[in-house]
Amino acid sequence: MDTPKETWLARLQGNGYRLTGARRAVVETVAVSSRALTPLEVYDAARGRYPTLGLVTVYRTLEKLEELHLIQRVHQPAGCQAFIAAGKGHQHLLLCERCGQVTFFEGDNLNPLITSISKKTGYQIDKHWLQLFGLCESCR
Ligand SMILES: [Zn+2]
Ligand SMILES: [Zn+2]
């Protein structure tokens, strides 16, 4: 099986995106991170692999990866600027508020809640987005 990194590089290339050393460094950094990373954090980490990396390249590459649904935004009180490798299918995200560790989980039992909200508000609800915050096992 391909590693996420190889899959991502292949997807970028398949979408007409030229794979420069700088872009590879960004992909390699984000693909292996279990922590949500802001563009600045990606920039700092990826510069170890590619010292002349520019911040604009980081932003553009993240934008492209998000467009291809390979990464997703992690929502935090300060804003939604951090990214993590996207979950597979319908998954929800747990974020450690101390170390930024991200864990995905499957399954929710929201239907009774959604049905009751729908009744109360008259909305036809067809999507939801759920993210939980807390402390991971090693931070608690
Ligand atoms: Zn933690
Ligand atoms: Zn759900």
Coordinates of all heavy atoms in Angstrom, one line a residue, residues 7-41:
T7 N 0.6 8.8 -1.9 CA -0.8 9.1 -2.5 C -1.0 10.6 -2.7 O -1.5 10.9 -3.8 CB -1.8 8.6 -1.5 OG1 -1.5 7.3 -1.1 CG2 -3.2 8.6 -2.1
W8 N -0.6 11.4 -1.8 CA -0.8 12.8 -1.9 C 0.0 13.4 -3.1 O -0.5 14.2 -3.9 CB -0.4 13.6 -0.7 CG -1.3 13.3 0.5 CD1 -2.2 12.3 0.7 CD2 -1.3 14.1 1.7 NE1 -2.8 12.4 1.9 CE2 -2.2 13.5 2.6 CE3 -0.6 15.2 2.2 CZ2 -2.5 14.0 3.8 CZ3 -0.8 15.7 3.4 CH2 -1.8 15.1 4.2
L9 N 1.2 12.9 -3.2 CA 2.1 13.4 -4.3 C 1.5 13.0 -5.6 O 1.4 13.8 -6.6 CB 3.5 12.9 -4.1 CG 4.3 13.5 -2.9 CD1 5.6 12.8 -2.8 CD2 4.6 15.0 -3.1
A10 N 1.0 11.8 -5.7 CA 0.4 11.3 -6.9 C -0.9 12.1 -7.3 O -1.1 12.4 -8.4 CB 0.1 9.8 -6.8
R11 N -1.7 12.4 -6.3 CA -2.9 13.2 -6.5 C -2.6 14.6 -7.0 O -3.2 15.1 -7.9 CB -3.8 13.2 -5.2 CG -4.4 12.0 -4.8 CD -5.7 11.7 -5.7 NE -6.7 12.7 -5.6 CZ -7.5 12.9 -4.7 NH1 -7.6 12.1 -3.6 NH2 -8.4 13.9 -4.7
L12 N -1.6 15.2 -6.4 CA -1.2 16.6 -6.8 C -0.7 16.5 -8.2 O -1.1 17.4 -9.0 CB -0.1 17.1 -5.9 CG -0.5 17.5 -4.4 CD1 0.7 17.8 -3.6 CD2 -1.4 18.8 -4.5
Q13 N 0.1 15.6 -8.5 CA 0.6 15.5 -9.9 C -0.5 15.2 -10.9 O -0.5 15.8 -11.9 CB 1.7 14.4 -9.9 CG 2.8 14.6 -10.9 CD 4.0 13.7 -10.7 OE1 3.9 12.7 -10.1 NE2 5.1 14.2 -11.1
G14 N -1.4 14.3 -10.5 CA -2.5 14.0 -11.4 C -3.4 15.2 -11.6 O -4.2 15.2 -12.6
N15 N -3.4 16.2 -10.7 CA -4.1 17.4 -10.9 C -3.3 18.5 -11.5 O -3.7 19.7 -11.3 CB -4.8 17.8 -9.6 CG -6.0 16.9 -9.3 OD1 -7.1 17.2 -9.7 ND2 -5.8 15.8 -8.6
G16 N -2.3 18.2 -12.1 CA -1.5 19.2 -12.9 C -0.6 20.0 -12.0 O -0.2 21.1 -12.4
Y17 N -0.3 19.6 -10.8 CA 0.5 20.3 -9.9 C 2.0 19.8 -10.0 O 2.2 18.7 -9.7 CB 0.0 20.2 -8.5 CG 0.2 21.3 -7.6 CD1 -0.3 22.6 -7.9 CD2 0.9 21.2 -6.4 CE1 -0.1 23.7 -7.0 CE2 1.1 22.2 -5.5 CZ 0.6 23.5 -5.8 OH 0.8 24.5 -5.0
R18 N 2.9 20.7 -10.3 CA 4.3 20.3 -10.5 C 4.9 20.1 -9.1 O 4.7 20.9 -8.2 CB 5.0 21.3 -11.2 CG 6.0 20.8 -12.2 CD 6.4 21.9 -13.3 NE 6.7 23.1 -12.6 CZ 7.9 23.5 -12.0 NH1 8.8 22.6 -12.0 NH2 8.0 24.6 -11.5
L19 N 5.6 18.9 -9.0 CA 6.2 18.6 -7.7 C 7.6 19.1 -7.5 O 8.5 18.4 -7.8 CB 6.1 17.1 -7.5 CG 4.7 16.5 -7.4 CD1 4.8 15.0 -7.3 CD2 3.9 17.1 -6.4
T20 N 7.7 20.3 -7.0 CA 9.0 20.9 -6.7 C 9.5 20.4 -5.3 O 8.7 19.8 -4.6 CB 8.9 22.4 -6.7 OG1 8.0 22.8 -5.6 CG2 8.4 23.0 -8.0
G21 N 10.7 20.5 -5.1 CA 11.3 20.1 -3.8 C 10.6 20.8 -2.6 O 10.3 20.2 -1.6
A22 N 10.2 22.1 -2.8 CA 9.6 22.9 -1.8 C 8.2 22.3 -1.5 O 7.8 22.1 -0.3 CB 9.4 24.3 -2.2
R23 N 7.4 22.0 -2.5 CA 6.1 21.4 -2.3 C 6.2 20.0 -1.7 O 5.3 19.7 -0.8 CB 5.4 21.3 -3.7 CG 5.0 22.7 -4.2 CD 4.6 22.7 -5.6 NE 4.2 24.0 -6.0 CZ 3.9 24.4 -7.3 NH1 3.9 23.4 -8.2 NH2 3.6 25.6 -7.6
R24 N 7.2 19.2 -2.1 CA 7.3 17.9 -1.5 C 7.6 18.0 0.0 O 7.1 17.2 0.8 CB 8.6 17.2 -2.1 CG 8.3 16.5 -3.4 CD 9.6 15.9 -3.9 NE 9.4 15.4 -5.3 CZ 8.9 14.2 -5.6 NH1 8.6 13.4 -4.6 NH2 8.7 13.9 -6.8
A25 N 8.4 19.0 0.4 CA 8.7 19.2 1.8 C 7.5 19.5 2.6 O 7.3 19.0 3.7 CB 9.8 20.3 2.0
V26 N 6.6 20.3 2.0 CA 5.3 20.6 2.7 C 4.4 19.4 2.8 O 3.9 19.0 3.9 CB 4.5 21.7 1.9 CG1 3.1 21.9 2.5 CG2 5.3 23.0 1.9
V27 N 4.3 18.6 1.8 CA 3.5 17.4 1.8 C 4.1 16.4 2.8 O 3.3 15.8 3.6 CB 3.5 16.7 0.4 CG1 3.0 15.3 0.4 CG2 2.6 17.6 -0.6
E28 N 5.4 16.2 2.8 CA 6.0 15.3 3.7 C 5.8 15.7 5.2 O 5.6 14.8 6.0 CB 7.5 15.1 3.4 CG 7.8 14.3 2.2 CD 9.2 14.4 1.6 OE1 10.0 15.0 2.3 OE2 9.4 13.9 0.5
T29 N 5.8 16.9 5.4 CA 5.6 17.4 6.8 C 4.1 17.2 7.3 O 3.9 16.6 8.3 CB 5.9 18.9 6.9 OG1 7.3 19.1 6.5 CG2 5.7 19.4 8.3
V30 N 3.2 17.5 6.4 CA 1.8 17.5 6.9 C 1.3 16.0 6.9 O 0.5 15.6 7.7 CB 0.9 18.3 6.0 CG1 -0.6 18.3 6.5 CG2 1.4 19.8 6.0
A31 N 1.8 15.2 5.9 CA 1.2 13.8 5.7 C 1.6 13.0 7.0 O 0.8 12.0 7.3 CB 1.8 13.2 4.5
V32 N 2.7 13.2 7.6 CA 3.1 12.4 8.8 C 2.7 12.9 10.1 O 3.0 12.3 11.1 CB 4.6 12.1 8.7 CG1 5.0 11.4 7.4 CG2 5.4 13.4 8.9
S33 N 2.1 14.1 10.2 CA 1.9 14.8 11.5 C 0.6 14.3 12.1 O -0.4 14.2 11.4 CB 1.8 16.3 11.3 OG 1.6 16.9 12.5
S34 N 0.6 13.9 13.4 CA -0.6 13.6 14.1 C -1.1 14.8 14.9 O -2.1 14.7 15.6 CB -0.3 12.4 15.0 OG 0.6 12.8 16.0
R35 N -0.4 15.9 14.7 CA -0.8 17.2 15.3 C -1.4 18.1 14.3 O -0.9 18.1 13.1 CB 0.3 17.9 16.0 CG 0.8 17.3 17.3 CD 1.9 18.2 17.9 NE 1.4 19.6 18.0 CZ 2.1 20.6 17.6 NH1 3.2 20.5 17.0 NH2 1.6 21.8 17.7
A36 N -2.3 18.9 14.6 CA -2.8 19.9 13.7 C -1.7 21.0 13.6 O -1.2 21.4 14.6 CB -4.1 20.5 14.2
L37 N -1.4 21.3 12.4 CA -0.3 22.3 12.1 C -0.9 23.6 11.4 O -1.6 23.5 10.5 CB 0.8 21.7 11.3 CG 1.5 20.5 11.8 CD1 2.4 19.9 10.7 CD2 2.3 20.8 13.1
T38 N -0.5 24.7 11.9 CA -0.8 26.0 11.2 C 0.2 26.1 10.1 O 1.3 25.5 10.1 CB -0.7 27.2 12.2 OG1 0.7 27.3 12.6 CG2 -1.6 27.0 13.4
P39 N -0.1 27.0 9.1 CA 0.8 27.2 8.0 C 2.2 27.6 8.5 O 3.3 27.1 8.0 CB 0.2 28.3 7.2 CG -1.3 28.2 7.4 CD -1.4 27.7 8.9
L40 N 2.3 28.4 9.6 CA 3.6 28.8 10.1 C 4.3 27.6 10.7 O 5.6 27.5 10.6 CB 3.4 29.9 11.2 CG 3.5 31.3 10.7 CD1 3.3 32.3 11.9 CD2 4.9 31.6 10.1
E41 N 3.6 26.7 11.4 CA 4.3 25.5 11.9 C 4.7 24.6 10.8 O 5.8 24.0 10.9 CB 3.3 24.8 12.9 CG 3.0 25.5 14.2 CD 1.9 24.9 15.0 OE1 0.9 24.4 14.4 OE2 2.0 25.0 16.2

